């Protein structure tokens, strides 16, 4: 009898768990008034960022971005328009560079490391819906975290899907759909995104395909490389 009561208590707690908690735990949840209000407050900041502040007023844009995100490091450069759901679920390191029309659906947590570059039209999706139409029709959805390491460059029009981790120093080619984890130190591209090759020491001397840095520029590159190796 006691075992039945314990099971019933656990079952009831599952039913009455609030949707915000369910969302934060990566469980199926539905948007209710509480979550809608949180999104509304973020939409006010997004509107200010995209439509109220002059796009050349970098200081004010940076101030709003810091209010929007869960955390944002130093020397961020985010070009409007930029869109996100909650904002507070986005945690970004130093020297983040997001070009035009970046979209981060941060239902789940999004961690982005230092020195990460997003080309135009990059989308990061933690949000999704059930596959079966009957389940999808209940308006349940989910958010699964995404993690992007340090020194990652994501090419234009790429999409990063829920649950993905991208390792340090990796390049994601333009137009990629990243459906699974990508390791560190590689070039990966395609739909679905696959590893093409490792990034090697020889790549240091090239700025585009077979085009090498000139002697003057390469001195700067070598100095930056040596500085990193000393850390």
């Amino acid at each position: 009898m006691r075992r039945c009561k314990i099971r019933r208590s656990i079952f009831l707690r599952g039913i009455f768990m609030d949707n915000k908690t369910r969302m934060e735990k990566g469980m199926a949840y539905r948007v209710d008034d509480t979550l809608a209000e949180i999104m509304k407050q973020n939409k006010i900041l997004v509107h200010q960022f995209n439509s109220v502040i002059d796009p050349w007023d970098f200081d004010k844009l940076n101030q709003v971005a810091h209010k929007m995100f869960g955390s944002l490091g130093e020397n961020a450069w985010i070009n409007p328009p930029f869109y996100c759901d909650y904002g507070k679920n986005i945690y970004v390191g130093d020297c983040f560079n997001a070009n035009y029309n970046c979209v981060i659906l941060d239902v789940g947590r999004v961690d982005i490391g230092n020195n990460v570059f997003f080309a135009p039209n990059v989308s990061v999706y933690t949000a999704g819906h059930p596959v079966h139409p009957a389940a999808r029709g209940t308006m349940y959805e989910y958010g699964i975290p995404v993690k992007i390491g340090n020194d990652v460059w994501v090419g234009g029009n790429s999409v990063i899907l829920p649950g993905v981790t991208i390792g340090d120093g990796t390049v994601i080619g333009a137009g990629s759909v990243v459906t699974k984890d990508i390791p560190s130190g590689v070039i990966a591209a395609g739909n679905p995104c696959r590893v093409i090759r490792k990034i090697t020491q020889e790549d240091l001397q090239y700025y585009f395909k077979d085009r090498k840095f000139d002697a003057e520029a390469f001195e700067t590159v070598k100095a930056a490389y040596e500085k990193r190796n000393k850390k």
Side-chain angles (χ1 to χ4, degrees):
M1 183 68 178
R2 184 185 176 192
R3 184 178 298 174
C4 292
K5 286 183 178 179
I6 292 173
R7 287 178 178 174
R8 184 170 181 272
S9 176
I10 294 171
F11 180 65
L12 288 174
R13 283 203 300 271
I15 289 177
F16 293 111
M17 184 183 296
D18 67 271
N19 282 294
K20 182 174 181 293
T21 301
R22 296 179 69 89
M23 184 184 78
E24 292 170 348
K25 288 180 174 290
M27 300 170 64
Y29 74 95
R30 290 190 280 196
V31 175
D32 57 13
D33 290 343
T34 298
L35 290 176
E37 180 59 29
I38 297 171
M39 280 195 287
K40 177 183 174 182
Q41 295 306 312
N42 183 63
K43 286 181 183 296
I44 293 171
L45 294 173
V46 170
H47 176 70
Q48 290 176 1
F49 189 87
N50 293 329
S51 303
V52 177
I53 300 171
D54 293 329
W56 54 85
D57 194 338
F58 304 124
D59 288 339
K60 286 186 179 178
L61 288 172
N62 200 38
Q63 289 171 14
V64 174
H66 274 85
K67 291 179 182 178
M68 207 184 313
F69 288 9
S71 66
L72 179 62
E74 298 179 354
N75 301 317
W77 181 278
I78 303 171
N79 279 303
F82 169 83
Y83 303 97
C84 60
D85 280 332
Y86 294 92
K88 295 301 183 184
N89 295 326
I90 306 172
Y91 297 83
V92 183
D94 296 335
C95 302
F96 177 53
N97 190 318
N99 218 317
Y100 305 107
N101 208 38
C102 176
V103 176
I104 302 179
L105 301 186
D106 61 315
V107 169
R109 181 176 172 124
V110 176
D111 287 285
I112 300 173
N114 299 320
N115 305 306
V116 172
F117 292 4
F118 283 0
N121 301 307
V122 167
S123 297
V124 178
Y125 301 154
T126 67
H129 304 274
V131 172
H132 196 286
R136 193 164 59 250
T138 64
M139 303 306 291
Y140 273 110
E141 54 189 69
Y142 59 82
I144 310 297
V146 166
K147 186 174 183 179
I148 299 171
N150 300 314
D151 301 302
V152 172
W153 176 24
V154 182
N157 294 294
S158 293
V159 179
I160 300 168
L161 296 183
V164 163
T165 295
I166 298 174
D168 295 343
T170 282
V171 174
I172 304 296
S176 296
V177 179
V178 189
T179 61
K180 61 182 181 180
D181 293 354
I182 303 295
S184 298
V186 301
I187 298 172
N191 181 7
C193 188
R194 295 184 177 90
V195 174
I196 296 173
R197 68 172 178 86
K198 289 184 177 180
I199 296 172
T200 67
Q201 182 65 23
E202 187 180 359
D203 290 310
L204 186 67
Q205 60 188 312
Y206 296 95
Y207 67 91
F208 178 71
K209 294 185 178 180
D210 61 348
R211 299 189 182 188
K212 290 186 176 182
F213 287 103
D214 61 88
E216 180 182 351
F218 194 56
E219 286 301 315
T220 303
V221 172
K222 285 195 299 183
Y225 174 75
E226 290 167 1
K227 184 178 179 180
R228 282 184 176 228
N229 281 351
K230 288 180 180 178
K231 291 182 179 179

